[in-house]
């Protein structure tokens, strides 16, 4: 169990072609001071005719954040049934799409989450298609191994409910062989008497208890909370409420004895949209954000901002009580720099070179900058080498920094890098 404070992040999903919400989210994330963002690539949306182009734009907007990318939602056209919760007819197609996503966007993320809540019927219909999760394990195991080979930190999609027996089953099925992090979800105090949901009062004894129960079955893997939240809605009175409780639940999640916590979510779900359970079937789904859909910031928004500010101040002072987690991952953790010499030395020591994306930019503007590494796929981007002078002129004009990694977790030389906003 790690000692010290958890890194705090936000989880926010983006619907297909919802450009406005992405742009709003970036503004709120900057205001909060968020570094870690968990979001998804819907496998089903990626298979749409213009799906890859949509995600090209999304990744460009999110370039300044450290991303945990969750890949799930089976395309109905290839499922055992025409449902996003069904297994694909060919389980190896999941590894194929993971490969395509890494090829195209691997420069933009380091952490990859394989599915989301696979022990939740709304995300993986195990009752109908996979009662013992064998298909799930057979689908996930090779995808995780492939992602590890490509230098990604692999995360097993957050279980909900938190069930050590389910983790042990995944271990027996071989699904954890190439998993670095086991994620879990829980929404304490998200229950009501006549329609129980998530963790019930008689089962909830705090985050430390959940971690203690899961630790024996995860081996030496890290544990993250990749979703926790609380809706600001009173189901009995059918009105907005529980804002103070949302703050309290955020505080409790932030104090959990894990390496990382993602709060769900940033912006309330648009009331005109259908939630995963259906259109307003569960009104809680429409009030989980730190910001109301119309833009009002809730009390927990300001509390999140304060928690992040306090963590930055303690770590800048070198307060040992806040550094336990960071010290655990020093050699293969990403670093951020704006130093030209440091960037050039790192790139050239790996035989890389500065480059631009063809078809972007204009007169006296190289366009989108990239680091071109030998033998590393660039997806569908066509790159053209440029001089370091041109690279750094645009680098400074756009107020960029470079996030990079010296070594992989196996101790090998890493070629992971990413250009972000300062």
């Amino acid at each position: 169990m790690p000692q010290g404070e958890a890194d705090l992040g936000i989880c926010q999903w983006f619907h297909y072609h919802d450009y406005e919400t992405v742009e709003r989210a970036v503004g709120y994330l900057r205001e909060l001071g968020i570094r870690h963002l968990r979001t998804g690539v819907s496998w089903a949306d990626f298979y749409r005719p213009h799906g890859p182009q949509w995600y090209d734009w999304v990744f460009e907007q999110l370039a300044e954040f450290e991303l945990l990318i969750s890949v799930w939602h089976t395309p109905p056209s290839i499922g055992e049934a025409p449902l996003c919760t069904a297994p694909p007819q060919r389980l190896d197609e999941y590894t194929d799409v993971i490969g395509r996503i890494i090829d195209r966007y691997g420069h933009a993320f380091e952490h990859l989450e394989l599915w989301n809540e696979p022990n939740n019927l709304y995300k993986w219909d195990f009752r109908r298609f996979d009662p013992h999760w064998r298909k799930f394990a057979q689908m996930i195991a090779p995808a995780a191994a492939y992602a590890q080979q490509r230098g990604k930190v692999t995360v097993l999609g957050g279980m909900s409910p938190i069930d050590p027996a389910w983790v042990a089953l995944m271990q027996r099925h071989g699904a954890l062989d190439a998993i670095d992090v086991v994620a879990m979800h829980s929404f304490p105090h998200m229950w009501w008497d006549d329609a129980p949901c998530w963790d019930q009062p008689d089962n909830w004894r705090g985050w430390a208890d959940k971690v203690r129960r899961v630790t024996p079955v995860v081996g030496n893997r890290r544990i993250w909370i990749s979703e926790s939240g609380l809706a600001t809605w009173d189901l009995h009175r059918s009105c907005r409420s529980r804002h103070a409780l949302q703050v309290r639940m955020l505080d409790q999640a932030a104090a959990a004895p894990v390496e990382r916590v993602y709060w769900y979510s940033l912006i309330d779900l648009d009331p005109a949209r259908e939630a995963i359970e259906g259109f307003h079937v569960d009104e809680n789904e429409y009030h989980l954000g730190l910001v109301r859909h119309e833009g009002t910031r809730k009390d927990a928004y300001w509390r999140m901002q304060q928690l992040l500010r306090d963590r930055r101040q303690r770590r800048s002072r070198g307060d040992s009580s806040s550094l336990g987690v960071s010290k655990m991952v020093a050699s293969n953790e990403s670093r951020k720099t704006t130093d030209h010499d440091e960037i050039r030395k790192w790139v050239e020591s790996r035989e890389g070179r500065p480059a631009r994306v063809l078809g972007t930019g204009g007169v006296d503007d190289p366009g989108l900058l990239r680091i071109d590494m030998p033998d590393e796929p660039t997806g569908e981007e066509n790159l053209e080498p440029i001089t370091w002078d041109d690279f750094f002129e645009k680098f400074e004009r756009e107020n960029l920094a470079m996030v990079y990694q010296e070594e992989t977790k196996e101790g090998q030389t890493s070629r992971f890098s990413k250009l972000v906003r300062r």
Side-chain angles (χ1 to χ4, degrees), residues 43-55:
W43 186 6
D45 286 344
F46 189 72
Y47 265 45
R48 292 175 185 249
H50 301 290
Q53 289 72 33
W54 157 244
Y55 285 112

Side-chain angles (χ1 to χ4, degrees), residues 77-290:
S77 61
I78 67 171
E80 291 187 14
L83 300 167
C84 290
T85 56
Q89 296 176 52
R90 287 181 47 240
L91 297 175
D92 60 358
E93 289 204 58
Y94 187 67
T95 301
D96 292 344
V97 76
I98 292 298
R100 289 181 60 191
I101 289 168
I102 293 175
D103 285 347
R104 194 170 184 116
Y105 309 116
H107 64 277
F109 68 91
E110 183 180 354
H111 300 88
L112 177 69
E113 185 177 50
L114 301 152
W115 218 258
N116 176 50
E117 297 188 0
N119 59 336
N120 178 341
L121 284 168
Y122 285 110
K123 314 297 172 61
W124 180 264
D125 194 345
F126 55 87
R127 184 175 296 165
R128 179 175 174 185
F129 301 105
D130 190 23
H132 302 291
W133 285 276
R134 289 193 178 92
K135 292 176 184 177
F136 177 77
Q138 291 167 12
M139 181 181 75
I140 291 297
Y146 175 79
Q148 273 194 346
Q149 291 169 8
R150 296 292 299 273
K152 302 305 174 188
V153 176
T154 56
V155 182
L156 179 64
M159 58 181 149
S160 181
I162 298 171
D163 183 358
W166 183 81
V167 179
L169 179 64
M170 292 299 97
Q171 179 79 281
R172 293 195 297 275
H173 285 336
L176 303 188
D177 292 352
I179 292 294
D180 300 306
V181 180
V182 173
M184 57 187 189
H185 298 175
S186 194
F187 295 77
H189 289 270
M190 288 280 291
W191 51 69
W192 54 100
D193 296 337
D194 57 344
C197 183
W198 292 309
D199 281 284
Q200 301 301 304
D202 57 345
N203 292 329
W204 183 256
R205 298 177 181 84
W207 284 109
D209 173 69
K210 296 293 185 185
V211 173
R212 179 185 57 78
R213 292 172 56 210
V214 169
T215 296
V217 294
V218 302
N220 60 357
R221 299 169 185 87
R222 290 172 273 165
I223 300 173
W224 289 359
I225 299 168
S226 55
E227 270 189 45
S228 184
L230 185 115
T232 53
W233 184 257
D234 188 318
L235 284 160
H236 295 295
R237 295 187 296 155
S238 296
C239 65
R240 294 190 181 105
S241 183
R242 310 203 304 169
H243 292 88
L245 183 59
Q246 188 184 47
V247 172
R248 188 154 49 111
M249 292 301 99
L250 173 59
D251 281 341
Q252 289 185 14
V258 296
E259 184 181 277
R260 188 172 297 181
V261 174
Y262 292 90
W263 184 259
Y264 182 79
S265 62
L266 179 62
I267 305 172
D268 281 351
L269 180 62
D270 183 347
R273 286 191 178 273
E274 184 173 300
I276 199 163
E277 294 89 350
F279 188 70
H280 289 268
V281 171
D282 180 359
E283 193 62 28
N284 277 326
E285 291 282 1
Y286 294 84
H287 300 274
L288 281 157
L290 298 176

